[in-house]
Amino acid sequence: GSKVDDESFTDLEGYYIFRPGDVLNGRFFATSKQGRGTFSTVLRVKDQADGDRECVIKVIRNNEYMKKKSLEEMQKLVLLTSKDPEGKRNCVRLFSHFEQRGHLCMVFEPMLMNLREYISKRGGRPLEITDVRSMGFQLLRALSLCKRCGLIHADLKPDNLLIGMDRKTVKLSDFGSSLHRQEVVRTNNGVPVTSLIGSMGYRAPEILAGISLDFPCDIWSAGATLCELLTGKILYKGTNDNQMLLLQMELCGNFPKKLVKRAAFREKHFGSDGVFLETKVDPLSKVELRVPRPDLNTPIKSFEKDVLRHVAKAKRKKRAEFANLLAQMFIMDPSKRPNVKECMKHSFFHSSAQ
């Protein structure tokens, strides 16, 4: 047949135009389009060079910025795979990559969907505590691999956890926001330059306050994610940094004074005495008021009573263990928060309590 020009494979926004039956890289037979994100078109394919094995290909938009960002993510995925060649540590697997008609293409193992989609497909019904226990352990296993690779994921949430075809396996995905810890430490001494890291509801308090950016922020986000899988509700549902800190402190108390002292965004959220200042807008005058909240120096709510109370009573001991795990994953001082290995040893994952 006559050669088709590259243009007809790319739309005006740089997206790959999918046609059923396309063959990519001379071997991947495209069966369907699974979706489309900011960066890519996602295709379901069969690998004709490997017994028609099912794979997923992310076809990155033909655009310099997207390509550069995706190459950075790809290097991180290659690093993760190199430290886990057998694929036993629950990070999504990149099989290979190539370029086709100006599009960077990344070939992944096929997964069913992300956990936000999974819960909404269940009619918004949250998961059982036994599933949360299993998925939580898998998520921590993934974080231990990230740590071995010196990566802070920095955007952990149900959207970035994929569930397998077996509906049991979960894998951590989307390393587009992940950070090399060494680079973070080199830049501004590990202090966040902005509070806009990760996604609002899952953002650790030390990022909101401008204290530090390091492995513990992933433990915080993992806690928020697991809690949401069990309750079906976003745990800290703030619409701005100040509200987020308020909701976090209701359950976890304030930072130690010494941390508030070195917080980069201290003026926005704290009085000179280290007490949290809640920003309120007067409904009539629209004037912004800053209300000191010394009551938040220690928690005013509890995980067991206020967050998990509706979780099936039958599993009371398990629920108590989970509440205890959360209280630890949500220690305000990141240096006191348990690391991945310590979380994995928690009785929630190991005891036979019902």
Side-chain angles (χ1 to χ4, degrees):
S2 62
K3 191 181 180 320
V4 186
D5 66 322
D6 283 355
E7 299 309 306
S8 61
F9 287 99
T10 304
D11 72 11
L12 292 171
E13 293 177 339
Y15 283 103
Y16 179 84
I17 296 170
F18 163 71
R19 297 180 179 80
D22 275 350
V23 176
L24 288 86
N25 209 28
R27 63 187 276 190
F28 297 106
F29 180 87
T31 52
S32 66
K33 178 164 141 183
Q34 190 179 307
R36 182 166 137 158
T38 317
F39 280 76
S40 64
T41 308
V42 182
L43 306 178
R44 288 258 163 189
V45 302
K46 288 194 160 93
D47 184 357
Q48 298 174 321
D50 189 3
D52 275 353
R53 172 164 75 157
E54 265 211 76
C55 302
V56 163
I57 297 187
K58 262 184 164 174
V59 186
I60 305 302
R61 283 165 75 178
N62 192 342
N63 148 330
E64 278 316 304
Y65 171 76
M66 305 271 175
K67 205 177 270 186
K68 178 179 170 289
K69 282 301 201 199
S70 300
L71 278 167
E72 288 170 13
E73 177 179 19
M74 196 175 79
Q75 285 159 351
K76 289 164 184 161
L77 289 162
V78 168
L79 171 65
L80 289 160
T81 307
S82 73
K83 291 262 194 287
D84 178 29
E86 311 250 294
K88 288 186 172 157
R89 304 191 79 114
N90 300 87
C91 284
V92 72
R93 305 201 67 190
L94 177 71
F95 289 145
S96 61
H97 52 89
F98 56 90
E99 192 156 326
Q100 177 139 4
R101 307 189 184 109
H103 294 272
L104 171 67
C105 300
M106 298 194 261
V107 187
F108 290 96
E109 63 182 321
M111 299 292 283
L112 191 61
M113 58 183 75
N114 73 47
L115 284 182
R116 186 167 313 284
E117 295 165 329
Y118 184 63
I119 286 181
S120 108
K121 283 265 193 305
R122 292 165 50 97
R125 223 159 28 93
L127 304 176
E128 295 295 320
I129 200 157
T130 45
D131 295 330
V132 174
R133 171 189 185 175
S134 153
M135 290 175 184
F137 198 75
Q138 294 178 69
L139 168 53
L140 289 167
R141 206 185 282 138
L143 285 180
S144 75
L145 177 61
C146 293
K147 194 170 179 180
R148 267 177 58 189
C149 295
L151 290 176
I152 303 166
H153 185 282
D155 194 17
L156 232 164
K157 53 184 177 180
D159 315 62
N160 292 337
L161 278 177
L162 304 180
I163 189 162
M165 302 300 186
D166 62 0
R167 291 176 163 72
K168 287 189 180 66
T169 311
V170 289
K171 304 222 171 173
L172 181 55
S173 75
D174 204 336
F175 289 83
S177 311
S178 67
L179 303 156
H180 286 285
R181 181 175 185 261
Q182 283 172 310
E183 282 172 29
V184 174
V185 174
R186 272 204 301 272
T187 328
N188 204 24
N189 230 345
V191 176
V193 197
T194 167
S195 63
L196 300 174
I197 293 161
S199 305
M200 181 73 82
Y202 308 90
R203 204 172 280 155
E206 64 270 22
I207 294 172
L208 295 162
I211 292 169
S212 65
L213 174 55
D214 205 341
F215 296 129
C217 77
D218 282 342
I219 296 292
W220 181 284
S221 308
T225 299
L226 293 181
C227 188
E228 183 173 334
L229 295 180
L230 186 64
T231 64
K233 296 185 179 69
I234 295 173
L235 175 59
Y236 302 113
K237 213 168 163 41
T239 52
N240 60 48
D241 290 359
N242 189 267
Q243 253 184 19
M244 282 294 299
L245 283 164
L246 171 79
L247 295 169
Q248 292 170 341
M249 286 181 197
E250 287 180 343
L251 278 161
C252 314
N254 199 344
F255 291 107
K257 295 262 191 289
K258 63 177 196 318
L259 287 189
V260 177
K261 274 201 178 69
R262 41 171 252 240
F265 315 131
R266 185 181 65 224
E267 270 76 36
K268 282 169 95 169
H269 307 294
F270 297 92
S272 53
D273 52 1
V275 167
F276 178 69
L277 299 178
E278 179 185 357
T279 306
K280 281 185 168 173
V281 179
D282 182 281
L284 288 174
S285 66
K286 300 278 180 277
V287 173
E288 231 184 39
L289 308 169
R290 307 185 72 197
V291 184
R293 295 289 306 268
D295 58 317
L296 294 178
N297 283 345
T298 52
I300 58 173
K301 289 184 176 175
S302 94
F303 287 102
E304 197 161 4
K305 289 194 193 69
D306 300 290
V307 178
L308 305 175
R309 57 165 187 273
H310 70 281
V311 174
K313 290 276 185 288
K315 304 258 191 317
R316 199 171 64 244
K317 283 215 182 79
K318 246 324 100 318
R319 193 182 60 184
E321 286 173 347
F322 187 55
N324 179 277
L325 172 65
L326 288 180
Q328 293 186 42
M329 292 177 89
F330 292 135
I331 290 173
M332 292 291 281
D333 181 346
S335 68
K336 303 272 190 290
R337 210 172 288 153
N339 63 27
V340 181
K341 289 277 179 283
E342 289 164 338
C343 289
M344 288 171 93
K345 287 190 179 128
H346 192 278
S347 66
F348 174 65
F349 297 113
H350 301 288
S351 84
S352 54
Q354 287 306 301

